[in-house]
Amino acid sequence: MNRQERWSMLLLCLGFLSAVLLPATQKLDKTTSPTRNPIEGAQIFRSYCAACHGTDGRGHGPASVALKHAVPDLTLISQRNGGKFPRQRVKDIIEGKESGPLAHGNREMPIWGPIFHDVESDEDWGEVRLDAVTKYLESIQQK
């Protein structure tokens, strides 16, 4: 493994670790609220998706170089689907219910459903988070 591959793997691991450890540390705090584990779509995207998909959703996040397949440009979802945003399919891919495009075919993308459905203060905010990040993705589609 050459130096660039090692750096790429390190970046990928750091991105995944932060995504896994952040929710784990929040479980320790019984006062966790939706403001500490975001429910706003853009904030969810920045926290969980931007490491690979980039802050603009175009697939050039810092961890993308370590992946086996190119990270898809999420601003072109509607364009790839005849001009219609496939809301339920996108939500199912994020949650892990359905395999997505090539990069998701082998599940290089973490399954966010269990993390988003983490119960806080006896409430499951998972559907709210999934809806919010899906609506955010719909809002960044190129016209």
Side-chain angles (χ1 to χ4, degrees):
M1 187 180 286
N2 68 34
R3 187 175 181 174
Q4 183 177 0
E5 288 173 331
R6 277 184 269 170
W7 278 108
S8 297
M9 288 303 292
L10 177 62
L11 282 173
L12 179 63
C13 290
L14 289 174
F16 288 145
L17 278 175
S18 65
V20 170
L21 292 178
L22 177 64
T25 58
Q26 289 174 342
K27 283 183 184 179
L28 297 175
D29 181 1
K30 298 289 184 198
T31 63
T32 300
S33 69
T35 57
R36 293 195 59 205
N37 197 352
I39 59 171
E40 193 268 317
Q43 188 177 359
I44 294 168
F45 186 85
R46 284 189 305 273
S47 297
Y48 293 94
C49 312
C52 293
H53 290 284
T55 56
D56 62 359
R58 295 181 189 272
H60 303 293
S64 67
V65 296
L67 299 176
K68 293 178 184 176
H69 303 287
V71 178
D73 182 337
L74 299 180
T75 67
L76 301 175
I77 295 171
S78 292
Q79 193 176 88
R80 289 189 298 260
N81 288 280
K84 184 169 173 21
F85 186 78
R87 180 183 296 257
Q88 189 59 50
R89 182 162 187 262
V90 169
K91 187 176 170 183
D92 288 347
I93 290 169
I94 295 167
E95 191 170 13
K97 290 182 179 178
E98 183 178 328
S99 292
L102 182 60
H104 298 208
N106 63 2
R107 288 315 295 179
E108 278 189 312
M109 181 178 117
I111 297 172
W112 296 115
I115 292 169
F116 288 172
H117 281 287
D118 183 33
V119 175
E120 302 165 2
S121 305
D122 295 326
E123 292 187 57
D124 180 355
W125 289 87
E127 286 303 313
V128 172
R129 290 186 186 105
L130 285 165
D131 284 338
V133 75
T134 302
K135 286 177 185 172
Y136 173 73
L137 290 174
E138 187 172 14
S139 76
I140 64 170
Q141 296 307 294
Q142 290 185 25
K143 303 292 179 196

